[in-house]
Amino acid sequence: MATAADAYLARRLRPFATTIFATMSELATATGAVNLGQGFPDTDGPSALREAAVAAIREGRNQYPPGNGIPELRRAVAAHQRDWYGLALDPETEVLVTVGATEAIAATVLALCEPGDEVVMFEPTYDSYAACVAMAGAVPRLVRLHPPGWTFDPGELAAAVTSPRARLVLLNTPHNPTGKVFSPDELAQVAALCRDRDLLAVTDEVYEHLVFDGTHVPLATLPGMRDRTVTISSGGKTFSLTGWKVGWVSAAAPLVAAVRAAKQFLTYTSPAPFQVAMAHGLALPPGELQRLADELAAKRDLLCEGLEHLGYRVYRPPATYFATTDIGPVAPGLGAEEFCLALAARCGVVAIPSSVFYGPGDPAAGRTLVRWAFCKRESVLRDALARLASWVP
Ligand code: PMP
Ligand code: GLN
């Protein structure tokens, strides 16, 4: 579809003129709909962190911090990776603070890929990946995840890296939009491929602490992976503070140096007071993070049970903010995009058509899949379910 940006936008970015999240949040605001689209909580995270940010501003932490991040946060990230996963990192050379995971992903892909290099990604794919690959002039190689368990065919994965231009695997676990947590066996397959084909790995682990069933295992902990993996995370999801945009990269020093080279010309550095507060967040006791995840698990159950009751085919997620449904039983014949537009207008609820998370090669892919965010107050989820009950096919 042609958009207003096309008159000036470089061709490689035309498929990415507007993000689905902005489009659907604007639709929710314009129609007064309940917004179960873009993934942000409707209650703010721990007051201790918010107070720490206020105190940092009052105490004068308001000028450019070091380009690689304030030492307190780099030390906190290293301590977090050690305490949670047994990964030893030097906070001086092996940690880089970024403007959210979004910048970390962009800087990493820009830093590591030559034009024409191939990036293996699991589809459906979080929206920024394809755009970042395009900005780098690299080429996506997609490996499909299949419902209900969002598993992949190992043969398809192996076939995705046959070219000498294969450069890296970009893995997202826990996974947006499906909520999948890659199993130890699946991670072992990815790791084996990276080792055998001498590929780098980039892992986006922003939902690492929002796991309800199963366990999150960073790819970097697998044999032979520590020195070839760039691990990316962010505090936005863990602490329900998505607007703060503090993320981080951890990896072996040469990889961090490469990503830093790109990051310094994207943003140079990340907002200082929020870095101070995030360092406090990472030092919270594990029980506090578990409490946040338990609250979210109850919301997942409420939304999934409600959607099932309404007739949707629900792929109950073991992690993240999102549940994916097949709308086939409730909206026979409708595609997800058409359904989501009609839903906002007719029922006052906004959700995300998951079809947008699939590449252009297969227009039928994800055609009837819709993603719903459950990181909302219980009353809001109940209101949304009540509104959805008025849907007539
Ligand atoms: N990766 C994934 C998988 C996400 O869902 C998101 C959305 N928040 C991001 C990256 C971006 O994170 P941030 O807000 O820290 O930039
Ligand atoms: N990660 C959020 C989501 O998946 C959106 C963040 C954004 O708008 N870029 O809904």
Side-chain angles (χ1 to χ4, degrees):
M1 205 204 335
T3 71
D6 286 358
Y8 297 106
L9 188 61
R11 212 167 286 115
R12 68 184 182 285
L13 282 179
R14 282 193 200 159
F16 312 104
T18 45
T19 91
I20 188 67
F21 305 123
T23 304
M24 297 315 271
S25 280
E26 279 161 25
L27 183 64
T29 308
T31 58
V34 178
N35 189 357
L36 303 188
Q38 193 175 29
F40 61 91
D42 58 359
T43 44
D44 288 339
S47 64
L49 269 68
R50 289 182 275 137
E51 292 308 320
V54 172
I57 291 172
R58 292 220 168 96
E59 284 159 15
R61 304 288 299 263
N62 300 307
Q63 306 308 326
Y64 289 136
N68 59 344
I70 62 168
E72 299 99 295
L73 181 53
R74 280 186 278 115
R75 283 197 295 268
V77 170
H80 173 274
Q81 296 303 89
R82 182 197 60 214
D83 296 348
W84 283 87
Y85 309 122
L87 282 166
L89 293 162
D90 177 351
E92 290 302 315
T93 58
E94 296 185 316
V95 177
L96 171 69
V97 177
T98 56
V99 181
T102 307
E103 189 203 24
I105 294 159
T108 302
V109 173
L110 287 168
L112 301 181
C113 291
E114 300 287 355
D117 278 355
E118 294 184 359
V119 176
V120 177
M121 313 191 280
F122 292 92
E123 185 188 46
T125 310
Y126 178 60
D127 78 328
S128 84
Y129 297 178
C132 288
V133 167
M135 285 194 274
V139 180
R141 292 297 307 261
L142 299 171
V143 177
R144 183 73 57 83
L145 298 173
H146 302 281
W150 303 105
T151 46
F152 60 87
D153 172 353
E156 207 185 316
L157 177 62
V161 296
T162 46
S163 152
R165 297 308 301 268
R167 173 67 166 156
L168 60 88
V169 178
L170 175 47
L171 177 81
N172 173 211
T173 183
H175 181 261
N176 179 5
T178 65
K180 172 191 175 71
V181 178
F182 278 70
S183 71
D185 179 50
E186 289 171 326
L187 293 173
Q189 289 178 48
V190 173
L193 196 73
C194 290
R195 289 190 305 262
D196 294 350
R197 306 276 316 167
D198 196 20
L199 305 176
L200 296 171
V202 177
T203 62
D204 174 350
E205 306 184 4
V206 299
Y207 298 101
E208 61 187 314
H209 291 298
L210 305 185
V211 178
F212 323 123
D213 313 316
T215 310
H216 169 66
V217 178
L219 190 68
T221 61
L222 272 75
M225 293 308 288
R226 188 211 181 268
D227 289 342
R228 63 169 76 241
T229 303
V230 175
T231 303
I232 292 172
S233 196
S234 152
K237 306 295 162 20
T238 301
F239 302 112
S240 300
L241 293 164
T242 61
W244 282 19
K245 300 295 292 186
V246 179
W248 46 87
V249 164
S250 56
L255 283 168
V256 165
V259 178
R260 186 180 175 182
K263 187 245 161 31
Q264 68 191 336
F265 298 114
L266 293 173
T267 54
Y268 174 57
T269 189
S270 315
F274 296 126
Q275 292 193 49
V276 176
M278 251 339 150
H280 285 270
L282 286 177
L284 286 177
E288 181 68 10
L289 301 190
Q290 187 60 47
R291 191 184 60 74
L292 294 168
D294 289 347
E295 282 174 15
L296 200 56
K299 296 175 184 201
R300 173 209 48 186
D301 293 344
L302 173 65
L303 183 71
C304 288
E305 276 149 33
L307 290 170
E308 263 161 23
H309 185 71
L310 290 170
Y312 292 86
R313 174 137 203 252
V314 179
Y315 302 111
R316 200 185 184 84
T320 75
Y321 278 170
F322 311 110
T324 295
T325 55
D326 194 318
I327 59 168
V330 289
L334 277 194
E337 295 184 45
E338 219 180 332
F339 170 78
C340 287
L341 291 176
L343 195 67
R346 284 160 50 184
C347 297
V349 177
V350 158
I352 299 288
S354 294
S355 42
V356 302
F357 301 122
Y358 290 82
D362 178 2
R367 195 181 159 271
T368 56
L369 298 179
V370 168
R371 190 196 82 172
W372 313 79
F374 50 78
C375 48
K376 307 291 173 183
R377 281 165 293 152
E378 190 183 317
S379 58
V380 172
L381 295 175
R382 289 192 191 284
D383 181 19
L385 289 167
R387 290 171 182 232
L388 289 173
S390 69
W391 171 264
V392 182

